[in-house]
Amino acid sequence: DAVLTVTDDYGLSNTVRLYLGQQYYLKEIRVPVGFVLDEEVYPIVLNHENEVLPVMDHLQKVRIMLQKKDSKSGKSELKDAVFGVYRKEGDEYIQVDEITTDEKGQGSSGELSPGIYYFKEVIPPKGYLVDPEYHEVKAYADDSGKAVIDCSVEVSDDPTEIEIIKTDGNGNPLSGAWFHVEDKEGNIIEAKWQSDGNPHVIRGLEEGVTYYLIEDEGVSGYFPLKGPQAFTVSGRLTTVK
């Protein structure tokens, strides 16, 4: 009989007794937590006693898979949101990667070492408010033997909101006026609606962009707007009267 000793990267070994001159095949079938399963099959022939076959295992990596959604409607087509990915050292957040969402609102980090990470939005999608919070994600290795472990997280953004209400000179709501909203190129952003005494809410207009409120038909006995009324969305809620 011959003795075959198989050692891993840490020098740990397992010894089996085999016949000299016979061909055998060595294949890894299970790995410790945090290591990648080696799919290769190693042909071996023992020519002398006490042979040592070194086997190298590789450490797993993790990847953060992010899904961005609208907090109001639940829609996920939120493109071009940009997130920083950070590790925390004491009280300091150290950026290690960046994630940008695609047309499905999805994005992923590169391959990272297992551990605890934080992600924070630095650029929101158009029409949404930036989320200033750091979100923790525990991206740990496992015993699956996979080379890369995907850690899925979901985060939502609040859309901008604007309230438009028709009032008289004393601030009393008026019903019956017809309005629509255009951008500076004349494209219709919000189709024609009739005031009913309650605020008309429009969500998802881009912050810092100028839009125009146009009164198509006024209320009987009251003067209509003198041409398009420009307004700019700023912050969580903008009110136009």
Side-chain angles (χ1 to χ4, degrees):
D1 290 353
V3 174
L4 174 67
T5 302
V6 181
T7 61
D8 62 19
D9 196 32
Y10 290 94
L12 301 176
S13 65
N14 185 40
T15 301
V16 293
R17 292 188 175 276
L18 303 171
Y19 292 103
L20 284 172
Q22 293 279 359
Q23 182 164 4
Y24 297 92
Y25 296 91
L26 183 69
K27 185 178 186 301
E28 190 170 44
I29 59 174
R30 187 170 62 248
V31 291
V33 171
F35 288 89
V36 180
L37 184 69
D38 188 351
E39 299 288 350
E40 188 173 349
V41 177
Y42 297 92
I44 56 173
V45 176
L46 302 181
N47 296 312
H48 53 81
E49 294 184 7
N50 299 320
E51 288 198 40
V52 176
L53 178 66
V55 177
M56 180 74 71
D57 270 345
H58 298 282
L59 292 171
Q60 289 180 320
K61 296 291 187 179
V62 296
R63 182 168 49 207
I64 299 172
M65 310 292 290
L66 188 144
Q67 174 68 66
K68 188 72 170 172
K69 289 191 174 182
D70 183 304
S71 65
K72 302 292 184 181
S73 67
K75 77 172 185 176
S76 58
E77 296 80 14
L78 303 188
K79 184 182 178 183
D80 294 332
V82 180
F83 293 83
V85 180
Y86 307 85
R87 299 218 53 168
K88 194 173 182 182
E89 296 182 6
D91 294 328
E92 186 177 3
Y93 291 92
I94 308 297
Q95 185 168 351
V96 296
D97 205 352
E98 186 174 274
I99 298 174
T100 301
T101 58
D102 59 17
E103 63 277 359
K104 295 181 180 180
Q106 299 173 347
S108 66
S109 70
E111 295 180 5
L112 306 167
S113 297
I116 297 176
Y117 291 89
Y118 300 84
F119 62 92
K120 183 171 81 74
E121 189 171 44
V122 291
I123 301 176
K126 291 181 179 179
Y128 290 83
L129 302 169
V130 68
D131 179 1
E133 300 296 324
Y134 285 93
H135 299 273
E136 181 183 272
V137 53
K138 295 177 179 178
Y140 293 144
D142 62 18
D143 61 356
S144 66
K146 294 180 180 178
V148 180
I149 306 301
D150 289 333
C151 300
S152 299
V153 293
E154 184 178 300
V155 63
S156 60
D157 264 359
D158 294 331
T160 61
E161 290 190 0
I162 179 169
E163 292 183 347
I164 298 174
I165 186 167
K166 177 74 172 179
T167 62
D168 62 17
N170 296 318
N172 299 310
L174 295 174
S175 300
W178 288 88
F179 297 93
H180 74 275
V181 174
E182 296 180 358
D183 62 17
K184 64 180 181 180
E185 284 81 27
N187 300 308
I188 295 178
I189 302 301
E190 182 76 359
K192 201 172 183 181
W193 80 92
Q194 187 177 35
S195 65
D196 60 2
N198 296 306
H200 179 77
V201 178
I202 304 174
R203 295 187 176 95
L205 298 185
E206 191 174 349
E207 278 195 288
V209 174
T210 300
Y211 298 92
Y212 298 89
L213 175 66
I214 298 170
E215 187 169 10
D216 300 294
E217 298 178 31
V219 178
S220 178
Y222 292 88
F223 292 109
L225 293 176
K226 295 179 180 179
Q229 180 177 333
F231 66 91
T232 302
V233 179
S234 177
R236 186 168 297 276
L237 178 64
T238 302
T239 302
V240 178
K241 295 183 179 181

